[in-house]
Amino acid sequence: MDVAGAAGATSDITAETGDGTVIAFFKYNWQVRDEWFAWCEQVSFDELIRARVGGVGSILYTLFHVVDAEGSWIGALAGKPDPKPRFEDYMTVAKLRRLSNEFRTELTPFIEQWTPQWEDKTIEVHWNPGDVFTYGEVVRHVIAHEIHHVGQLSVWARELGLQPVSANFIGRTL
Amino acid sequence: MDVAGAAGATSDITAETGDGTVIAFFKYNWQVRDEWFAWCEQVSFDELIRARVGGVGSILYTLFHVVDAEGSWIGALAGKPDPKPRFEDYMTVAKLRRLSNEFRTELTPFIEQWTPQWEDKTIEVHWNPGDVFTYGEVVRHVIAHEIHHVGQLSVWARELGLQPVSANFIGRTL
């Protein structure tokens, strides 16, 4: 496998605190997301918002969607109100990167404190009425959700004739 | 988010043993992989091996690739020789599903016993000469690797006019 590492965002979170796997995956998603923001700088706005087959439909909306979903789900676990950003207010890479950083600053303390003791705590959220989720499954849902959507971005990048951001976890010293 | 759950493969592994997050993600990947094998039954062989843009190039080869990568990496952590299956020997869904199940049976004991105490153990592998990896980053690499490639499958499924397997972690009672 290609281990071409990627620098990018760093964090004070270490895999030695809390649940190392959960923390490391959030660090991974945040680093990869920042690399996709940088990748977007070479792509025209028209291509970033062009409707594409699969996923949630466009490159920029996919990045908004993963930021929005993380903010809603992890915010809910952290006891914060659903921020409900509107895509039309964040339709540039710069604005979306700022939103991503704001949410990250807001959610990092919760992620840093994540402990397996929270695994079985339960939560209900307004966007899934009638369902009860455990904190553990929500944290893993958010992690897998972004990795899955980034896989879709990688196909669309190749359709544009561009090299996608590396999805490798190894080589990032996370 | 769509919480349309999906049944599928079950396992005796519980999130209460070892590192619950690592174990739960392997259960997730194995359940989603089995659902993709079932999904493939509705698609012609020509479409399964058709060269596509992005990823490793075809639906069937992508599924082979995630099975092969998991077998090599987790097998290495478990001290097993690299199985090195050849794609040409597993070019049907039935053969690939059998290979996936064989590797899973072989690797499940290691995954069941995974403990954060193995996080910082290091390993070198012949397919990345000169690199030294920690067990923790390898386990997370394998988890993210499959989720990423499955995201690519989901785009190709839509290109075929078919609904992809749900990538939701929630709703699977893992």
Side-chain angles (χ1 to χ4, degrees), chain A residues 65-155:
Chain A
H65 174 63
V66 296
V67 170
D68 181 32
E70 182 178 87
S72 295
W73 280 111
I74 304 302
L77 298 186
K80 301 174 187 290
D82 187 5
K84 285 190 186 164
R86 299 181 316 162
F87 182 50
E88 51 267 44
D89 296 331
Y90 297 96
M91 285 179 67
T92 71
V93 174
K95 287 180 180 173
L96 196 45
R97 186 188 274 119
R98 270 201 300 279
L99 182 69
S100 173
N101 289 338
E102 281 169 27
F103 282 9
R104 200 176 306 184
T105 302
E106 185 87 357
L107 301 175
T108 293
F110 177 83
I111 297 300
E112 281 180 309
Q113 290 154 33
W114 174 266
T115 162
Q117 289 148 2
W118 294 347
E119 266 295 324
D120 301 324
K121 282 182 67 175
T122 59
I123 188 168
E124 296 182 52
V125 293
H126 69 77
W127 55 89
N128 281 103
D131 293 308
V132 179
F133 304 108
T134 67
Y135 275 41
E137 72 179 329
V138 166
V139 157
R140 291 185 280 276
H141 180 69
V142 170
I143 291 167
H145 180 256
E146 180 153 358
I147 300 171
H148 179 79
H149 280 296
V150 163
Q152 299 169 332
L153 293 181
S154 74
V155 168

Side-chain angles (χ1 to χ4, degrees), chain A residues 1 3 21 73 128 152 154, chain B residues 1 3 19 73 128 152 154:
Chain A
M1 243 154 289
V3 296
T21 303
W73 280 111
N128 281 103
Q152 299 169 332
S154 74
Chain B
M1 245 154 288
V3 294
D19 180 323
W73 280 111
N128 281 104
Q152 299 169 332
S154 74

Side-chain angles (χ1 to χ4, degrees), chain B residues 26 67-83 103 106-108 110-111 123 125 127 135 138-139 142:
Chain B
F26 275 88
V67 170
D68 181 33
E70 183 177 87
S72 296
W73 280 111
I74 304 302
L77 298 186
K80 300 175 187 291
D82 187 3
F103 282 10
E106 185 86 359
L107 302 175
T108 293
F110 177 83
I111 297 300
I123 187 168
V125 293
W127 55 91
Y135 275 41
V138 167
V139 157
V142 170

